[in-house]
Amino acid sequence: MGTEHLLKGLPEDADLRRADSLAREIFSDVANKWALLIIEALGERTLRFSEVRGEVEGISHKMLTQNLRMLERNGLVDRKVYPTVPPRVEYTLTEPGRALRATVDAICDWTHTHLGHIEGARRRFDD
């Protein structure tokens, strides 16, 4: 993997190579398109559910709910409920969520940089 020297001495829960590790479970949770898009949409802002949905084109109500819950469970998103009728719920990235956003931003930058190359490769492959 190229990072084996960095993994020596880590607890089993931190080893992505192990199928039963917590690190792999967390990686699997956050490395999906909806989670990445939600993290990017929240950015430095606090948004209501409907605002997040409006920012993440194509996501269903169910998928947004599931991913926000997963991000909250992993401590990446804070959920604040206001006692109003109807209840107002807001979502904000936590400190670890904002740190992960820097990685998401890098992935977005990589995508923009290499989009032309990838499109060309796909055309050649599909011919």
Side-chain angles (χ1 to χ4, degrees), residues 38 42 45-52 64-65 68-69 72 77-82 89-94:
I38 291 166
L42 284 171
R45 306 179 292 170
T46 297
L47 298 175
R48 295 178 72 172
F49 184 92
S50 60
E51 293 171 322
V52 177
L64 180 55
T65 299
L68 283 169
R69 285 182 183 159
E72 182 182 9
V77 167
D78 272 335
R79 177 179 181 262
K80 186 169 183 180
V81 181
Y82 295 90
V89 181
E90 295 179 338
Y91 299 90
T92 307
L93 291 178
T94 62

PDB file of all heavy atoms in Angstrom, residues 38 42 45-52 64-65 68-69 72 77-82 89-94:
ATOM      1  N   ILE A  38     -22.197  16.158   0.977  1.00  0.00           N
ATOM      2  CA  ILE A  38     -22.793  16.826   2.141  1.00  0.00           C
ATOM      3  C   ILE A  38     -21.726  17.621   2.887  1.00  0.00           C
ATOM      4  O   ILE A  38     -21.953  18.772   3.273  1.00  0.00           O
ATOM      5  CB  ILE A  38     -23.483  15.802   3.071  1.00  0.00           C
ATOM      6  CG1 ILE A  38     -24.726  15.227   2.394  1.00  0.00           C
ATOM      7  CG2 ILE A  38     -23.834  16.440   4.412  1.00  0.00           C
ATOM      8  CD1 ILE A  38     -25.277  13.979   3.070  1.00  0.00           C
ATOM      9  N   LEU A  42     -21.866  21.682   3.376  1.00  0.00           N
ATOM     10  CA  LEU A  42     -21.902  22.356   4.673  1.00  0.00           C
ATOM     11  C   LEU A  42     -20.760  23.354   4.804  1.00  0.00           C
ATOM     12  O   LEU A  42     -20.961  24.461   5.301  1.00  0.00           O
ATOM     13  CB  LEU A  42     -21.867  21.342   5.816  1.00  0.00           C
ATOM     14  CG  LEU A  42     -23.175  20.607   6.074  1.00  0.00           C
ATOM     15  CD1 LEU A  42     -22.973  19.478   7.065  1.00  0.00           C
ATOM     16  CD2 LEU A  42     -24.243  21.574   6.561  1.00  0.00           C
ATOM     17  N   ARG A  45     -20.592  26.618   6.840  1.00  0.00           N
ATOM     18  CA  ARG A  45     -21.934  27.135   7.107  1.00  0.00           C
ATOM     19  C   ARG A  45     -22.746  26.204   7.989  1.00  0.00           C
ATOM     20  O   ARG A  45     -22.437  25.031   8.135  1.00  0.00           O
ATOM     21  CB  ARG A  45     -22.700  27.321   5.788  1.00  0.00           C
ATOM     22  CG  ARG A  45     -21.960  28.180   4.794  1.00  0.00           C
ATOM     23  CD  ARG A  45     -22.717  28.320   3.497  1.00  0.00           C
ATOM     24  NE  ARG A  45     -22.773  27.052   2.772  1.00  0.00           N
ATOM     25  CZ  ARG A  45     -23.521  26.837   1.710  1.00  0.00           C
ATOM     26  NH1 ARG A  45     -24.290  27.798   1.241  1.00  0.00           N
ATOM     27  NH2 ARG A  45     -23.507  25.680   1.098  1.00  0.00           N
ATOM     28  N   THR A  46     -23.797  26.741   8.539  1.00  0.00           N
ATOM     29  CA  THR A  46     -24.820  25.975   9.237  1.00  0.00           C
ATOM     30  C   THR A  46     -26.040  25.992   8.332  1.00  0.00           C
ATOM     31  O   THR A  46     -26.479  27.064   7.900  1.00  0.00           O
ATOM     32  CB  THR A  46     -25.150  26.607  10.602  1.00  0.00           C
ATOM     33  OG1 THR A  46     -23.975  26.562  11.416  1.00  0.00           O
ATOM     34  CG2 THR A  46     -26.280  25.880  11.292  1.00  0.00           C
ATOM     35  N   LEU A  47     -26.563  24.803   8.031  1.00  0.00           N
ATOM     36  CA  LEU A  47     -27.696  24.706   7.116  1.00  0.00           C
ATOM     37  C   LEU A  47     -28.810  23.865   7.707  1.00  0.00           C
ATOM     38  O   LEU A  47     -28.549  22.927   8.473  1.00  0.00           O
ATOM     39  CB  LEU A  47     -27.264  24.077   5.785  1.00  0.00           C
ATOM     40  CG  LEU A  47     -26.221  24.819   4.952  1.00  0.00           C
ATOM     41  CD1 LEU A  47     -25.821  23.979   3.739  1.00  0.00           C
ATOM     42  CD2 LEU A  47     -26.747  26.172   4.515  1.00  0.00           C
ATOM     43  N   ARG A  48     -30.023  24.188   7.313  1.00  0.00           N
ATOM     44  CA  ARG A  48     -31.175  23.358   7.655  1.00  0.00           C
ATOM     45  C   ARG A  48     -31.222  22.190   6.676  1.00  0.00           C
ATOM     46  O   ARG A  48     -30.592  22.211   5.617  1.00  0.00           O
ATOM     47  CB  ARG A  48     -32.445  24.181   7.590  1.00  0.00           C
ATOM     48  CG  ARG A  48     -32.446  25.291   8.652  1.00  0.00           C
ATOM     49  CD  ARG A  48     -33.652  26.139   8.568  1.00  0.00           C
ATOM     50  NE  ARG A  48     -34.810  25.364   9.055  1.00  0.00           N
ATOM     51  CZ  ARG A  48     -36.006  25.878   9.244  1.00  0.00           C
ATOM     52  NH1 ARG A  48     -36.232  27.149   8.994  1.00  0.00           N
ATOM     53  NH2 ARG A  48     -37.004  25.132   9.667  1.00  0.00           N
ATOM     54  N   PHE A  49     -31.998  21.166   7.030  1.00  0.00           N
ATOM     55  CA  PHE A  49     -32.104  19.956   6.211  1.00  0.00           C
ATOM     56  C   PHE A  49     -32.442  20.309   4.766  1.00  0.00           C
ATOM     57  O   PHE A  49     -31.795  19.844   3.826  1.00  0.00           O
ATOM     58  CB  PHE A  49     -33.180  19.033   6.802  1.00  0.00           C
ATOM     59  CG  PHE A  49     -33.310  17.722   6.094  1.00  0.00           C
ATOM     60  CD1 PHE A  49     -32.603  16.608   6.508  1.00  0.00           C
ATOM     61  CD2 PHE A  49     -34.166  17.588   5.007  1.00  0.00           C
ATOM     62  CE1 PHE A  49     -32.727  15.390   5.861  1.00  0.00           C
ATOM     63  CE2 PHE A  49     -34.299  16.374   4.342  1.00  0.00           C
ATOM     64  CZ  PHE A  49     -33.582  15.275   4.775  1.00  0.00           C
ATOM     65  N   SER A  50     -33.465  21.129   4.573  1.00  0.00           N
ATOM     66  CA  SER A  50     -33.900  21.472   3.211  1.00  0.00           C
ATOM     67  C   SER A  50     -32.825  22.241   2.452  1.00  0.00           C
ATOM     68  O   SER A  50     -32.712  22.107   1.228  1.00  0.00           O
ATOM     69  CB  SER A  50     -35.201  22.279   3.245  1.00  0.00           C
ATOM     70  OG  SER A  50     -35.015  23.477   3.976  1.00  0.00           O
ATOM     71  N   GLU A  51     -32.026  23.018   3.164  1.00  0.00           N
ATOM     72  CA  GLU A  51     -30.934  23.754   2.512  1.00  0.00           C
ATOM     73  C   GLU A  51     -29.826  22.802   2.059  1.00  0.00           C
ATOM     74  O   GLU A  51     -29.263  22.962   0.973  1.00  0.00           O
ATOM     75  CB  GLU A  51     -30.379  24.819   3.454  1.00  0.00           C
ATOM     76  CG  GLU A  51     -31.367  25.935   3.747  1.00  0.00           C
ATOM     77  CD  GLU A  51     -30.901  26.875   4.838  1.00  0.00           C
ATOM     78  OE1 GLU A  51     -30.288  26.407   5.828  1.00  0.00           O
ATOM     79  OE2 GLU A  51     -31.158  28.087   4.697  1.00  0.00           O
ATOM     80  N   VAL A  52     -29.517  21.820   2.906  1.00  0.00           N
ATOM     81  CA  VAL A  52     -28.513  20.817   2.517  1.00  0.00           C
ATOM     82  C   VAL A  52     -29.019  20.065   1.291  1.00  0.00           C
ATOM     83  O   VAL A  52     -28.282  19.880   0.316  1.00  0.00           O
ATOM     84  CB  VAL A  52     -28.202  19.821   3.663  1.00  0.00           C
ATOM     85  CG1 VAL A  52     -27.220  18.756   3.200  1.00  0.00           C
ATOM     86  CG2 VAL A  52     -27.677  20.539   4.889  1.00  0.00           C
ATOM     87  N   LEU A  64     -30.298  11.510   2.273  1.00  0.00           N
ATOM     88  CA  LEU A  64     -29.784  12.639   3.046  1.00  0.00           C
ATOM     89  C   LEU A  64     -29.920  12.363   4.535  1.00  0.00           C
ATOM     90  O   LEU A  64     -28.983  12.575   5.305  1.00  0.00           O
ATOM     91  CB  LEU A  64     -30.497  13.935   2.658  1.00  0.00           C
ATOM     92  CG  LEU A  64     -30.042  15.190   3.391  1.00  0.00           C
ATOM     93  CD1 LEU A  64     -28.536  15.417   3.253  1.00  0.00           C
ATOM     94  CD2 LEU A  64     -30.817  16.407   2.888  1.00  0.00           C
ATOM     95  N   THR A  65     -31.071  11.865   4.943  1.00  0.00           N
ATOM     96  CA  THR A  65     -31.294  11.522   6.354  1.00  0.00           C
ATOM     97  C   THR A  65     -30.281  10.491   6.827  1.00  0.00           C
ATOM     98  O   THR A  65     -29.644  10.659   7.877  1.00  0.00           O
ATOM     99  CB  THR A  65     -32.722  10.988   6.563  1.00  0.00           C
ATOM    100  OG1 THR A  65     -33.661  12.006   6.186  1.00  0.00           O
ATOM    101  CG2 THR A  65     -32.966  10.582   8.003  1.00  0.00           C
ATOM    102  N   LEU A  68     -26.680  12.089   6.935  1.00  0.00           N
ATOM    103  CA  LEU A  68     -26.528  13.052   8.034  1.00  0.00           C
ATOM    104  C   LEU A  68     -26.438  12.318   9.374  1.00  0.00           C
ATOM    105  O   LEU A  68     -25.622  12.678  10.227  1.00  0.00           O
ATOM    106  CB  LEU A  68     -27.676  14.058   8.034  1.00  0.00           C
ATOM    107  CG  LEU A  68     -27.584  15.147   6.975  1.00  0.00           C
ATOM    108  CD1 LEU A  68     -28.904  15.925   6.888  1.00  0.00           C
ATOM    109  CD2 LEU A  68     -26.422  16.105   7.252  1.00  0.00           C
ATOM    110  N   ARG A  69     -27.247  11.293   9.558  1.00  0.00           N
ATOM    111  CA  ARG A  69     -27.183  10.504  10.802  1.00  0.00           C
ATOM    112  C   ARG A  69     -25.826   9.828  10.954  1.00  0.00           C
ATOM    113  O   ARG A  69     -25.252   9.790  12.042  1.00  0.00           O
ATOM    114  CB  ARG A  69     -28.297   9.464  10.834  1.00  0.00           C
ATOM    115  CG  ARG A  69     -29.652  10.059  11.122  1.00  0.00           C
ATOM    116  CD  ARG A  69     -30.712   9.002  11.203  1.00  0.00           C
ATOM    117  NE  ARG A  69     -32.016   9.603  11.420  1.00  0.00           N
ATOM    118  CZ  ARG A  69     -33.165   9.020  11.151  1.00  0.00           C
ATOM    119  NH1 ARG A  69     -33.186   7.801  10.663  1.00  0.00           N
ATOM    120  NH2 ARG A  69     -34.302   9.642  11.375  1.00  0.00           N
ATOM    121  N   GLU A  72     -23.256  12.409  11.801  1.00  0.00           N
ATOM    122  CA  GLU A  72     -23.433  12.805  13.205  1.00  0.00           C
ATOM    123  C   GLU A  72     -22.903  11.702  14.130  1.00  0.00           C
ATOM    124  O   GLU A  72     -22.187  11.987  15.098  1.00  0.00           O
ATOM    125  CB  GLU A  72     -24.912  13.067  13.486  1.00  0.00           C
ATOM    126  CG  GLU A  72     -25.183  13.524  14.896  1.00  0.00           C
ATOM    127  CD  GLU A  72     -26.659  13.727  15.184  1.00  0.00           C
ATOM    128  OE1 GLU A  72     -27.515  13.364  14.361  1.00  0.00           O
ATOM    129  OE2 GLU A  72     -26.952  14.263  16.278  1.00  0.00           O
ATOM    130  N   VAL A  77     -20.582  15.836  12.090  1.00  0.00           N
ATOM    131  CA  VAL A  77     -21.640  16.841  11.948  1.00  0.00           C
ATOM    132  C   VAL A  77     -22.339  17.000  13.296  1.00  0.00           C
ATOM    133  O   VAL A  77     -22.621  16.009  13.970  1.00  0.00           O
ATOM    134  CB  VAL A  77     -22.666  16.412  10.865  1.00  0.00           C
ATOM    135  CG1 VAL A  77     -23.915  17.258  10.905  1.00  0.00           C
ATOM    136  CG2 VAL A  77     -22.039  16.470   9.478  1.00  0.00           C
ATOM    137  N   ASP A  78     -22.589  18.248  13.658  1.00  0.00           N
ATOM    138  CA  ASP A  78     -23.425  18.555  14.823  1.00  0.00           C
ATOM    139  C   ASP A  78     -24.833  18.820  14.342  1.00  0.00           C
ATOM    140  O   ASP A  78     -25.034  19.522  13.348  1.00  0.00           O
ATOM    141  CB  ASP A  78     -22.919  19.804  15.558  1.00  0.00           C
ATOM    142  CG  ASP A  78     -21.881  19.494  16.605  1.00  0.00           C
ATOM    143  OD1 ASP A  78     -21.857  18.357  17.110  1.00  0.00           O
ATOM    144  OD2 ASP A  78     -21.087  20.393  16.911  1.00  0.00           O
ATOM    145  N   ARG A  79     -25.803  18.273  15.052  1.00  0.00           N
ATOM    146  CA  ARG A  79     -27.220  18.473  14.745  1.00  0.00           C
ATOM    147  C   ARG A  79     -27.828  19.224  15.917  1.00  0.00           C
ATOM    148  O   ARG A  79     -27.728  18.783  17.061  1.00  0.00           O
ATOM    149  CB  ARG A  79     -27.892  17.111  14.562  1.00  0.00           C
ATOM    150  CG  ARG A  79     -29.358  17.155  14.309  1.00  0.00           C
ATOM    151  CD  ARG A  79     -29.859  15.704  14.123  1.00  0.00           C
ATOM    152  NE  ARG A  79     -31.258  15.664  13.860  1.00  0.00           N
ATOM    153  CZ  ARG A  79     -32.189  15.415  14.769  1.00  0.00           C
ATOM    154  NH1 ARG A  79     -31.842  15.171  16.030  1.00  0.00           N
ATOM    155  NH2 ARG A  79     -33.457  15.404  14.444  1.00  0.00           N
ATOM    156  N   LYS A  80     -28.444  20.350  15.624  1.00  0.00           N
ATOM    157  CA  LYS A  80     -29.067  21.146  16.678  1.00  0.00           C
ATOM    158  C   LYS A  80     -30.555  21.280  16.373  1.00  0.00           C
ATOM    159  O   LYS A  80     -30.934  21.714  15.289  1.00  0.00           O
ATOM    160  CB  LYS A  80     -28.423  22.523  16.773  1.00  0.00           C
ATOM    161  CG  LYS A  80     -28.935  23.334  17.937  1.00  0.00           C
ATOM    162  CD  LYS A  80     -28.123  24.569  18.178  1.00  0.00           C
ATOM    163  CE  LYS A  80     -28.661  25.284  19.410  1.00  0.00           C
ATOM    164  NZ  LYS A  80     -27.927  26.499  19.699  1.00  0.00           N
ATOM    165  N   VAL A  81     -31.377  20.889  17.356  1.00  0.00           N
ATOM    166  CA  VAL A  81     -32.827  20.953  17.215  1.00  0.00           C
ATOM    167  C   VAL A  81     -33.350  22.086  18.084  1.00  0.00           C
ATOM    168  O   VAL A  81     -33.032  22.166  19.272  1.00  0.00           O
ATOM    169  CB  VAL A  81     -33.492  19.622  17.640  1.00  0.00           C
ATOM    170  CG1 VAL A  81     -35.003  19.696  17.474  1.00  0.00           C
ATOM    171  CG2 VAL A  81     -32.915  18.454  16.857  1.00  0.00           C
ATOM    172  N   TYR A  82     -34.135  22.964  17.471  1.00  0.00           N
ATOM    173  CA  TYR A  82     -34.749  24.086  18.196  1.00  0.00           C
ATOM    174  C   TYR A  82     -36.191  23.722  18.522  1.00  0.00           C
ATOM    175  O   TYR A  82     -36.908  23.200  17.665  1.00  0.00           O
ATOM    176  CB  TYR A  82     -34.705  25.352  17.347  1.00  0.00           C
ATOM    177  CG  TYR A  82     -33.301  25.838  17.089  1.00  0.00           C
ATOM    178  CD1 TYR A  82     -32.592  25.409  15.970  1.00  0.00           C
ATOM    179  CD2 TYR A  82     -32.675  26.712  17.969  1.00  0.00           C
ATOM    180  CE1 TYR A  82     -31.300  25.849  15.726  1.00  0.00           C
ATOM    181  CE2 TYR A  82     -31.378  27.148  17.737  1.00  0.00           C
ATOM    182  CZ  TYR A  82     -30.704  26.720  16.611  1.00  0.00           C
ATOM    183  OH  TYR A  82     -29.423  27.147  16.378  1.00  0.00           O
ATOM    184  N   VAL A  89     -34.232  22.224  12.609  1.00  0.00           N
ATOM    185  CA  VAL A  89     -33.029  21.420  12.798  1.00  0.00           C
ATOM    186  C   VAL A  89     -31.936  22.000  11.901  1.00  0.00           C
ATOM    187  O   VAL A  89     -32.166  22.260  10.722  1.00  0.00           O
ATOM    188  CB  VAL A  89     -33.274  19.937  12.449  1.00  0.00           C
ATOM    189  CG1 VAL A  89     -32.018  19.107  12.683  1.00  0.00           C
ATOM    190  CG2 VAL A  89     -34.442  19.387  13.249  1.00  0.00           C
ATOM    191  N   GLU A  90     -30.759  22.198  12.487  1.00  0.00           N
ATOM    192  CA  GLU A  90     -29.628  22.739  11.746  1.00  0.00           C
ATOM    193  C   GLU A  90     -28.428  21.808  11.861  1.00  0.00           C
ATOM    194  O   GLU A  90     -28.239  21.135  12.875  1.00  0.00           O
ATOM    195  CB  GLU A  90     -29.240  24.123  12.279  1.00  0.00           C
ATOM    196  CG  GLU A  90     -30.299  25.175  12.065  1.00  0.00           C
ATOM    197  CD  GLU A  90     -29.900  26.530  12.619  1.00  0.00           C
ATOM    198  OE1 GLU A  90     -29.018  26.591  13.512  1.00  0.00           O
ATOM    199  OE2 GLU A  90     -30.479  27.525  12.168  1.00  0.00           O
ATOM    200  N   TYR A  91     -27.615  21.813  10.809  1.00  0.00           N
ATOM    201  CA  TYR A  91     -26.442  20.947  10.735  1.00  0.00           C
ATOM    202  C   TYR A  91     -25.200  21.795  10.492  1.00  0.00           C
ATOM    203  O   TYR A  91     -25.215  22.709   9.671  1.00  0.00           O
ATOM    204  CB  TYR A  91     -26.593  19.929   9.597  1.00  0.00           C
ATOM    205  CG  TYR A  91     -27.777  19.027   9.795  1.00  0.00           C
ATOM    206  CD1 TYR A  91     -29.027  19.365   9.299  1.00  0.00           C
ATOM    207  CD2 TYR A  91     -27.651  17.840  10.509  1.00  0.00           C
ATOM    208  CE1 TYR A  91     -30.124  18.537   9.497  1.00  0.00           C
ATOM    209  CE2 TYR A  91     -28.737  17.015  10.722  1.00  0.00           C
ATOM    210  CZ  TYR A  91     -29.972  17.363  10.209  1.00  0.00           C
ATOM    211  OH  TYR A  91     -31.060  16.552  10.420  1.00  0.00           O
ATOM    212  N   THR A  92     -24.134  21.470  11.221  1.00  0.00           N
ATOM    213  CA  THR A  92     -22.854  22.164  11.113  1.00  0.00           C
ATOM    214  C   THR A  92     -21.746  21.131  11.205  1.00  0.00           C
ATOM    215  O   THR A  92     -21.855  20.163  11.962  1.00  0.00           O
ATOM    216  CB  THR A  92     -22.684  23.167  12.282  1.00  0.00           C
ATOM    217  OG1 THR A  92     -23.816  24.012  12.345  1.00  0.00           O
ATOM    218  CG2 THR A  92     -21.431  23.993  12.139  1.00  0.00           C
ATOM    219  N   LEU A  93     -20.675  21.356  10.451  1.00  0.00           N
ATOM    220  CA  LEU A  93     -19.514  20.471  10.584  1.00  0.00           C
ATOM    221  C   LEU A  93     -18.825  20.710  11.922  1.00  0.00           C
ATOM    222  O   LEU A  93     -18.701  21.847  12.365  1.00  0.00           O
ATOM    223  CB  LEU A  93     -18.508  20.723   9.464  1.00  0.00           C
ATOM    224  CG  LEU A  93     -18.919  20.308   8.054  1.00  0.00           C
ATOM    225  CD1 LEU A  93     -17.819  20.689   7.058  1.00  0.00           C
ATOM    226  CD2 LEU A  93     -19.213  18.825   7.975  1.00  0.00           C
ATOM    227  N   THR A  94     -18.376  19.636  12.547  1.00  0.00           N
ATOM    228  CA  THR A  94     -17.567  19.731  13.757  1.00  0.00           C
ATOM    229  C   THR A  94     -16.117  20.008  13.344  1.00  0.00           C
ATOM    230  O   THR A  94     -15.803  20.048  12.150  1.00  0.00           O
ATOM    231  CB  THR A  94     -17.612  18.407  14.535  1.00  0.00           C
ATOM    232  OG1 THR A  94     -17.059  17.385  13.702  1.00  0.00           O
ATOM    233  CG2 THR A  94     -19.034  18.057  14.957  1.00  0.00           C
TER     234      THR A  94
END
